[in-house]
Amino acid sequence: MTYRIEPTFVTPIYASFVSDFPKIKYKIDNVIDKVNYSYKSEWGKTHLLSDTGFGENIINKLRLKCLSDEIDKHVRNYCDELNFKYKKYKMTSWVAKFQPGDFAHIHEHGHSDISGVFYYKTNENDGDLVFTSPNPFLKTSKLFAGTELSWIHKPIEGKILLFPGWIPHGVKTNETDNTRISISFNINFET
């Protein structure tokens, strides 16, 4: 007798690297000093953001077409894997700065079809991204209570991640002397 366990209700998280990180990094290096940061008052002094309202598109504002084109390519790849066809989408984006001691609480972007992050500056130890299970009932079962309730992703410069906006995620405390900078974004498909 043979059997298999089928991975039902999986959460598709896309991970890749941008194709020309040195070029994109050079372009960002030339404009990153123009970014003004502030704390989102409701969160306290957790980490700095270029847009606490999450309604702007810092990528367009800084004229980072090379990064915008790269994100577009990866969105197409992600959607192709999921057999989803679209014509257009709207993107908002912001820069997140994690200084020593900073973190991001567990949250989600439920209003977004896709959320994503691009790692611009990191030493790979300055704040792992943590995804938590969207299934709150795992811990109610003796059989599944020990099931992994979170998945940790180490940041790497040039890496891009795409994931459903509804999946809970956060950033572990930066316990290094390094300042980590990433560019996050939300995508909503137009109908």
Side-chain angles (χ1 to χ4, degrees), residues 137-150:
F137 303 105
L138 282 175
K139 61 186 174 212
T140 66
S141 164
K142 288 182 179 71
L143 176 62
F144 296 104
T147 303
E148 191 64 42
L149 297 178
S150 64

Side-chain angles (χ1 to χ4, degrees), residues 91-169:
M91 180 169 64
T92 56
S93 62
W94 59 95
V95 179
K97 187 186 247 187
F98 291 84
Q99 299 174 109
D102 286 356
F103 66 96
H105 65 282
I106 298 294
H107 63 284
E108 80 285 323
H109 304 206
H111 60 282
S112 301
D113 294 315
I114 296 175
S115 289
V117 62
F118 165 72
Y119 295 106
Y120 158 65
K121 182 182 174 232
T122 177
N123 68 7
E124 300 181 20
N125 296 307
D126 45 15
D128 293 343
L129 179 64
V130 178
F131 292 101
T132 63
S133 174
N135 182 347
F137 303 105
L138 282 175
K139 61 186 174 212
T140 66
S141 164
K142 288 182 179 71
L143 176 62
F144 296 104
T147 303
E148 191 64 42
L149 297 178
S150 64
W151 181 73
I152 295 173
H153 172 77
K154 192 163 280 305
I156 301 170
E157 286 185 356
K159 193 163 202 176
I160 186 169
L161 292 176
L162 304 175
F163 49 91
W166 47 258
I167 189 167
H169 60 284

